Amino acid sequence: MFFASCRLQLAFLLIGTPMVGVTLGRPLYFDFVPVIIQICSSRRQEPEPDEGEPNMSTIVVQAFITLDGVVQAGGGPDEDREGGFEHGGWMMKYDEQMDKLDEGGKIVTEWEGRTEALLLGRKTYEIWARAWGVWDENAEGLLGGLTRRYNRIPKYVASRTLTEVGWKNSHLLGPDVPSAVAKLRAKPGGEIRVWGSTELIKTLAEHDLVDEYRLAVYPLVLGTGKKLFSDGFALTRLTLVETRTLSSGVLVNTYRRSDAG
C-alpha cells in the first residue's frame, strides 16, 4: 500500500530524529509528502533518465488533488489546519484503503527519476535543509542514497526574507523570482520540480513558466480547503498528453503547455 508500509520512515523524515523511539501520529507537513512517497517507492530500481539533453529545462508541478481541486494537508490530520481545515490526511487514508497494488508508488518512482533540480519556497527549503542537508551521506540504505542525491542536485529557493542559504548547491533566486526562473528554464537541462506553496505555483503560472502539471486526482470531494487553482489563477491553455486510471480509482493526468508539443 502506498503509505501504510512507510509510517516509520514518514515520522523519521518529518521529525528529523533517529527512528528508535519514534511515535507515530505526530504532525505532518505537506511539503514532505513527495519525499515520503519517494522513500516508500525507492525500494524499486529507479528508472534510467532519458538519453540526450533537451534544448531547455522544464518546470514541472506535481500535485495530489481532489475532484474539487483541494491540495491541502493530504498527508496527515495536523499537517495544515489553516482555515479550520478538518480533512487532513485525506490522501493517506485513501491510499491505505484503496492502493492495494502500490501503483502510486511505482508512478512516483518513475517521476522522481527525471528530477534534475528542485524549486522550493522558503518554508519547504528550511525543512529540507535541516534534514537532507545535515544527514550523513555515507549512511546505509535509503537514507544515505537520498542524502547524496539531494545534496548533489541544485536547489533554487524563492524567498523574500532569506539572505543566505547554507545547504550545499542551494541558490537564492533573488527578488525577481519570475525572471530568475525564466533564466533557469532557458538553460539546457532536465526537469525542475516544484514542491510546496500554491502561491509560488500561482506566481509561476502568471508568468507562463509552468511547462507541465502532473495531477493525481482522487475521487473525493471535500468542499473546503486550499486549492491548487484558486481564484485569480492565470488563464492557462493546456493539452492532456497522458492519462492513467489506477485500480484504486485515482486518475493520473499529465498536462503540458499547448505550445510545448
Side-chain angles (χ1 to χ4, degrees), residues 109-215:
T109 298
E110 174 190 332
W111 288 347
E112 287 300 285
R114 302 198 293 267
T115 301
E116 296 296 331
L118 296 172
L119 176 55
L120 308 172
R122 177 185 61 81
K123 292 181 180 179
T124 308
Y125 173 79
E126 290 179 336
I127 293 171
W128 284 37
R130 291 194 299 265
W132 303 111
V134 298
W135 288 338
D136 183 5
E137 289 193 353
N138 297 317
E140 295 182 359
L142 293 173
L143 179 60
L146 290 175
T147 300
R148 290 190 295 273
R149 176 186 177 86
Y150 286 126
N151 280 333
R152 174 180 57 82
I153 64 174
K155 279 79 62 180
Y156 300 106
V157 186
S159 173
R160 298 185 183 92
T161 57
L162 292 178
T163 58
E164 60 182 19
V165 285
W167 187 8
K168 65 174 67 174
N169 294 324
S170 296
H171 313 275
L172 285 170
L173 292 174
D176 190 347
V177 169
S179 177
V181 172
K183 291 178 181 178
L184 290 174
R185 181 172 170 268
K187 296 178 181 179
E191 292 184 0
I192 300 175
R193 189 66 54 80
V194 183
W195 295 128
S197 175
T198 55
E199 290 302 314
L200 173 59
I201 295 170
K202 189 174 183 179
T203 297
L204 296 176
E206 287 173 355
H207 293 82
D208 197 24
L209 291 172
V210 178
D211 294 289
E212 184 168 307
Y213 292 89
R214 294 183 189 142
L215 307 180

Side-chain angles (χ1 to χ4, degrees), residues 231-244:
D231 290 346
F233 201 91
L235 176 64
T236 307
R237 191 182 190 92
L238 301 167
T239 299
L240 178 65
V241 296
E242 183 180 20
T243 185
R244 288 186 258 184

Side-chain angles (χ1 to χ4, degrees), residues 10-30:
L10 183 151
F12 174 42
L13 283 170
L14 299 179
I15 300 167
T17 56
M19 292 186 66
V20 177
V22 167
T23 301
L24 302 183
R26 298 200 185 183
L28 308 177
Y29 298 88
F30 181 76

Side-chain angles (χ1 to χ4, degrees), residues 107 111 215-217 242-246 250-254:
I107 288 173
W111 288 347
L215 307 180
V217 184
E242 183 180 20
T243 185
R244 288 186 258 184
T245 302
L246 308 187
V250 173
L251 187 64
V252 182
N253 292 332
T254 300

